[in-house]
Amino acid sequence: MTDLKPRLFANDAAVRRIGEGLLARTLPRDDWTHEAHLAACLWLLSERGDVDLPKELPGIIRRYNESVGGVNDDNQGYHETLTQLYIEAVREWMLQNAAIATRVVPSLVDCVNALLASPIADRAWPLRLYSPERLFSVDARRRYIMPDL
């Protein structure tokens, strides 16, 4: 779909810095990349079982966006369908790749970088499930909507 190579993380601390910075709203805006979104999601799922992602991540992201001067409205900022889609996709990826964890205890960064090398990390991956009109609609930004493809 896209030819952009993912920006991989150097170590576990770099991944945790993204997740912790998101929660604390101290992460610099320029560091909140596509890869950072996925890394934060995997980190939260694997190390922060106290956070109910489908329920709490929307507010976490909205508050973070506002803290760095962003706006959450019908055209920019938080997107409910993409958030819920990626939570489920990363969770499923972790389940399908549990074999990685049984061979050798992988580091957090190894898991995140493997996720970033997977098809779901492709920025266009959601368009395999959604038409652009549906995915980029105001309705999809406001609430989770089912795929149409």
Side-chain angles (χ1 to χ4, degrees):
M1 292 256 183
T2 62
D3 291 332
L4 294 176
K5 298 226 185 261
R7 292 165 285 203
L8 302 179
F9 288 85
N11 51 46
D12 289 357
V15 174
R16 287 189 181 101
R17 183 184 75 79
I18 296 294
E20 291 168 356
L22 171 65
L23 293 177
R25 297 187 293 275
T26 58
L27 183 69
R29 185 178 196 163
D30 288 345
D31 291 352
W32 191 226
T33 64
H34 175 70
E35 293 87 356
H37 280 73
L38 293 170
C41 187
L42 191 144
W43 174 74
L44 285 161
L45 286 166
S46 64
E47 294 192 2
R48 290 298 306 266
D50 60 310
V51 179
D52 180 352
L53 285 193
K55 182 180 176 184
E56 296 178 51
L57 192 55
I60 291 168
I61 294 173
R62 283 185 188 107
R63 287 187 297 275
Y64 169 77
N65 288 344
E66 291 167 359
S67 76
V68 294
V71 174
N72 300 301
D73 63 18
D74 289 346
N75 301 303
Q76 59 189 330
Y78 182 75
H79 192 294
E80 178 70 11
T81 298
L82 284 173
T83 299
Q84 298 302 330
L85 177 67
Y86 274 109
I87 290 170
E88 198 51 43
V90 171
R91 185 181 318 227
E92 182 63 27
W93 182 89
M94 290 171 70
L95 290 172
Q96 289 178 2
N97 290 280
I100 293 171
T102 59
R103 278 186 275 143
V104 179
V105 177
S107 65
L108 176 63
V109 73
D110 290 339
C111 289
V112 167
N113 287 342
L115 171 65
L116 294 175
S118 76
I120 65 170
D122 185 319
R123 287 165 178 79
W125 174 78
L127 295 172
R128 295 177 185 174
L129 305 169
Y130 291 86
S131 64
E133 298 78 23
R134 186 168 177 87
L135 184 61
F136 301 119
S137 69
V138 171
D139 195 31
R141 185 173 286 282
R142 290 182 181 175
R143 65 179 185 88
Y144 176 75
I145 60 172
M146 298 296 292
D148 61 343
L149 300 178

